[in-house]
Amino acid sequence: MSTLKEATLPEDVPTPVDFWFDPLCPWAWITSRWIMEVQEQRPIEVRWHVMSLAVLNEDKDIPEDYRRMLADAWGPVRVCVAAEQKYGPEVLGRLYTEMGTRRHHERQKFDRAFFEESLTAAGLDPALADAAESTGYDDAVRASHKDGIDRVGQEVGTPVIEVEGHAFFGPVVTPIPRGEAAVKLFDGVLAVASTPGFFELKRTRTEDPSFD
């Protein structure tokens, strides 16, 4: 099996891994911690992008309780886009980390205090919390979402990942793979994603997300 050490890029140039996330999703959070684990052990550079479960599901027939939950999904992605526009895309990774830690580990709500604390901890202007209530960022959210979703199609969720032209949804996994297990999963995912004509590999989820 080939590895990133055998990639076409020079050895001193990390391989870009583009990662589209919605801070609302606990499964995407687990996958994001996995890819950061891989980044510690392989020459990759994760580049973060926003996608939106609210946009993805706005025209779909979904349960009403899920639709109500998605009403909270706009705030965090708007704040992420506002931070990206002010500081550049390189700040998204650390802002996502601060948001995800508070949301998924500490069970905090998406309110103004949440956004101000996350922004401050990420070294960003807490006044960007205003963006959570502003529709002025929605076009940019939709554009970033479309960029990711166009690579894989509509019948997916978050996250979307692309490595060297091979895009896929997932992997959906719990708990967070660590160490050699993280790298083994990475190699396996790339092997199937880069296979011509490969589309789907799936089984029923039997566990809830675990953030240990």
Side-chain angles (χ1 to χ4, degrees):
M1 179 183 299
S2 64
T3 69
L4 287 179
K5 293 181 180 179
E6 300 166 339
T8 56
L9 292 174
E11 289 186 1
D12 60 342
V13 178
T15 299
V17 175
D18 290 286
F19 192 111
W20 281 262
F21 67 92
D22 185 325
L24 178 70
C25 181
W27 296 102
W29 173 249
I30 291 174
T31 307
S32 74
R33 300 311 94 181
W34 160 73
I35 202 65
M36 292 186 70
E37 183 83 6
V38 175
Q39 186 172 243
E40 293 295 319
Q41 303 174 71
R42 284 288 177 84
I44 67 171
E45 177 187 7
V46 183
R47 303 187 302 196
W48 304 94
H49 312 273
V50 167
M51 67 180 296
S52 169
L53 288 173
V55 173
L56 182 68
N57 290 282
E58 61 186 352
D59 296 324
K60 295 182 179 179
D61 183 16
I62 58 175
E64 189 58 36
D65 58 343
Y66 185 53
R67 189 169 298 282
R68 284 194 296 270
M69 181 186 70
L70 291 180
D72 289 335
W74 279 104
V77 292
R78 287 168 175 165
V79 172
C80 284
V81 164
E84 181 181 20
Q85 290 181 355
K86 181 169 183 175
Y87 296 99
E90 62 273 10
V91 305
L92 284 179
R94 66 177 188 262
L95 179 56
Y96 180 33
T97 292
E98 296 299 337
M99 283 187 176
T101 299
R102 287 165 174 76
R103 174 68 177 186
H104 302 298
H105 294 264
E106 300 173 9
R107 306 292 186 181
Q108 292 187 24
K109 296 180 179 179
F110 288 140
D111 56 17
R112 186 173 183 87
F114 172 94
F115 296 122
E116 289 181 342
E117 290 173 9
S118 297
L119 287 160
T120 299
L124 308 175
D125 183 0
L128 291 174
D130 292 342
E133 302 297 328
S134 173
T135 59
Y137 296 96
D138 291 2
D139 286 347
V141 169
R142 290 180 182 277
S144 182
H145 174 87
K146 185 177 187 300
D147 184 28
I149 211 70
D150 281 353
R151 300 167 193 244
V152 290
Q154 292 291 327
E155 301 305 317
V156 298
T158 181
V160 168
I161 297 176
E162 183 175 84
V163 186
E164 296 188 315
H166 306 296
F168 49 89
F169 158 61
V172 178
V173 61
T174 193
I176 303 164
R178 302 289 189 184
E180 184 59 30
V183 174
K184 183 178 180 180
L185 176 59
F186 185 70
D187 287 340
V189 167
L190 289 190
V192 297
S194 61
T195 299
F198 178 84
F199 295 107
E200 188 170 358
L201 180 67
K202 190 173 183 178
R203 58 186 175 188
T204 301
R205 299 179 199 175
T206 58
E207 298 181 40
D208 292 329
S210 172
F211 311 120
D212 295 336

